[in-house]
């Protein structure tokens, strides 16, 4: 009996030891190295030759680990409504390490990013052709490999560069009449992380605006300007997301493992699990929609792949960050009342945030018909003019 007791005790100690190792493993960051979107500018812009240059940064976010980057390369996809024959696009990457010079042949040599350190790189996109006027945007994809405690993990960073800009003032603005209101959907360039919401409103809305008007911005375009979009290749669905996604309607953005994992990454697995269980109980009791109430606002705002216009149709777009601060800043800088809205073709209008002077009933009336559209209209802004007293 003593031998058996000793054996059980040893097994318990081994089990506790393995559990402690597992807990420590789960708490460690692994290959926690990110590539920032960086700072971009167009250095050459002629009808036949355009060059964009971006300075990006690799950031080691770990406290005790060195992460290696043995491979890094980039490519660019041009987007246009016209044929791209005769147009060339070359994307080059140049290391800009503080302690090692770049090679003349363009080879990315394996580099160690030290603990809590960063290093830089320059990405150059060169476009040539007889006529580049039909180009709309450039989707830049930077792929890199991290090598460290979690092994060899491919990662990527995606960004979009605008190549076309409509005039700030349309020749014939298409005002619509909704009840006693006047509504103007406003066409813009393809918005990217390089855009600021206030600057966009100043450029495209102020030429039409007058005192008392209200400007609205769609929640997805705002999230895009904030860089809140992720490619599915960057998302690793966990146990929970892979199993629970089957229980959502096929039309839901949470009906895929990557879509649901995006929510898990935002609010945590325990809240998602709790919301799922609580929502299931509420549904049995005849109260649908409980999951979205318990999981938080982001659960309703995530747009899965195909949810917006190209090239963002390839990405999962999250809900915007701090929308109230955005509308308050727009109101302060422009004098216009502003709102961030989520509108669809089902006549549903949800106001995420509104500044002082933005009447919610007026917004609902003006936007119920979804004047901005849900396709590729590229009208993220809507100007609403109340009826004259």
């Amino acid at each position: 009996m003593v031998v058996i007791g000793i054996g059980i005790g040893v097994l318990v100690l081994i089990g506790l030891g393995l559990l402690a190792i597992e807990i420590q493993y789960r708490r460690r960051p692994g290959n926690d190295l990110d590539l920032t979107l960086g700072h971009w500018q167009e250095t050459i812009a002629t009808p036949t030759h355009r060059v964009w240059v971006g300075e990006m940064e690799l950031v080691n976010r770990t406290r005790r680990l060195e992460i290696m980057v043995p491979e890094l390369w980039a490519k660019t996809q041009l987007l246009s409504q016209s044929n791209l024959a005769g147009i060339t696009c070359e994307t080059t990457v140049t290391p800009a390490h503080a302690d090692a010079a770049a090679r003349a042949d363009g080879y990315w040599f394996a580099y160690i990013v030290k603990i809590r350190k960063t290093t830089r790189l320059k990405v150059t996109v060169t476009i040539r052709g007889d006529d580049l006027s039909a180009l709309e945007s450039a989707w830049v994809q930077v792929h890199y490999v991290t090598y460290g405690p979690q092994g060899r993990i491919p990662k990527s960073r995606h960004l979009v560069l605008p190549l076309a800009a409509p005039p700030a003032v349309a020749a014939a603005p298409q005002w619509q009449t909704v009840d006693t209101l006047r509504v103007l959907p406003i066409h813009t360039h393809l918005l990217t992380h390089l855009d600021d919401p206030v600057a966009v409103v100043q450029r495209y809305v102020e030429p039409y605006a007058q005192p008392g008007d209200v400007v609205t911005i769609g929640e997805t375009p705002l999230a895009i300007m904030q860089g809140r979009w992720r490619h599915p290749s960057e998302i690793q669905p966990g146990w929970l997301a892979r199993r629970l996604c089957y229980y959502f309607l096929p039309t839901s953005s949470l009906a895929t493992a990557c879509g649901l994992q995006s929510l898990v990454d935002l609010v945590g697995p325990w809240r998602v699990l709790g919301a799922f269980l609580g929502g299931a109980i509420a549904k049995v009791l005849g109260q649908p929609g409980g999951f979205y109430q318990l999981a938080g606002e982001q659960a309703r705002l995530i747009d899965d792949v195909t949810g917006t216009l190209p090239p963002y149709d390839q990405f999962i777009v999250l809900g915007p960050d701090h929308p109230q601060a955005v509308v308050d800043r727009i109101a302060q800088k422009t004098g216009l009342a502003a709102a961030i809205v989520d509108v669809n073709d089902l006549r549903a209008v949800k106001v995420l945030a509104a500044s002082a002077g933005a009447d919610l009933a007026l917004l609902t009336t003006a936007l119920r018909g979804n004047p901005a559209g849900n396709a590729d209209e590229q009208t993220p802004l809507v100007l609403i003019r109340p009826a004259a007293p």
Side-chain angles (χ1 to χ4, degrees), residues 38-296:
H39 302 284
W40 289 78
Q41 63 177 343
E42 191 168 23
T43 58
I44 299 176
T46 73
T48 60
H49 184 199
R50 302 184 68 172
V51 177
W52 280 82
V53 179
E55 294 188 1
M56 308 177 75
E57 193 172 56
L58 287 162
V59 183
N60 185 346
R61 303 191 185 280
T62 71
R63 296 183 178 182
R64 300 179 181 177
L65 302 171
E66 292 184 345
I67 307 297
M68 288 167 269
V69 185
E71 299 177 44
L72 190 149
W73 69 100
K75 65 178 183 178
T76 300
Q77 171 72 58
L78 299 178
L79 282 87
S80 172
Q81 295 292 337
S82 302
N83 193 299
L84 294 175
I87 296 177
T88 64
C89 181
E90 180 184 13
T91 307
T92 60
V93 175
T94 305
H97 309 309
D99 56 351
R103 289 171 56 106
D105 60 5
Y107 176 80
W108 177 275
F109 53 86
Y111 186 81
I112 300 174
V113 185
K114 303 291 186 180
I115 301 168
R116 298 188 183 183
K117 298 295 184 180
T118 65
T119 193
R120 294 179 177 273
L121 57 114
K122 182 173 74 173
V123 180
T124 303
V125 179
T126 303
I127 307 169
R128 289 186 172 89
D130 293 336
D131 181 8
L132 305 180
S133 61
L135 294 179
E136 296 179 348
S137 61
W139 170 16
V140 182
Q141 308 163 46
V142 184
H143 301 275
Y144 60 109
V145 173
T146 63
Y147 187 79
Q150 286 188 334
R152 184 181 186 277
I153 299 180
K155 294 186 177 184
S156 60
R157 171 61 76 180
H158 301 256
L159 56 103
V160 177
L161 303 174
L163 300 180
V169 180
Q174 302 297 309
W175 285 92
Q176 304 174 16
T177 301
V178 181
D179 289 351
T180 60
L181 307 173
R182 297 193 71 200
V183 178
L184 177 64
I186 298 177
H187 186 71
T188 71
H189 65 278
L190 184 70
L191 300 175
T192 75
H193 78 285
L194 300 174
D195 290 300
D196 173 73
V198 172
V200 170
V201 170
Q202 290 173 328
R203 176 178 179 179
Y204 290 106
V205 178
E206 283 190 342
Y208 303 105
Q210 64 183 34
D213 290 353
V214 183
V215 60
T216 69
I217 303 179
E219 50 92 12
T220 296
L222 175 58
I224 286 172
M225 285 188 278
Q226 294 176 331
R228 291 176 60 79
W229 37 283
R230 305 173 65 189
H231 196 269
S233 64
E234 305 170 45
I235 300 171
Q236 300 298 323
W239 186 93
L240 192 68
R242 289 182 181 276
R243 284 151 181 81
L244 297 191
C245 67
Y246 286 98
Y247 292 91
F248 291 87
L249 292 174
T251 54
S252 170
S253 288
L254 305 180
T256 66
C258 288
L260 186 53
Q261 185 62 44
S262 297
L263 179 63
V264 172
D265 293 341
L266 286 172
V267 305
W270 292 111
R271 183 171 183 179
V272 171
L273 179 59
F276 178 81
L277 296 175
I281 294 172
K283 191 171 184 179
V284 170
L285 298 177
Q287 297 180 354
F291 173 85
Y292 294 95
Q293 296 176 8
L294 295 171

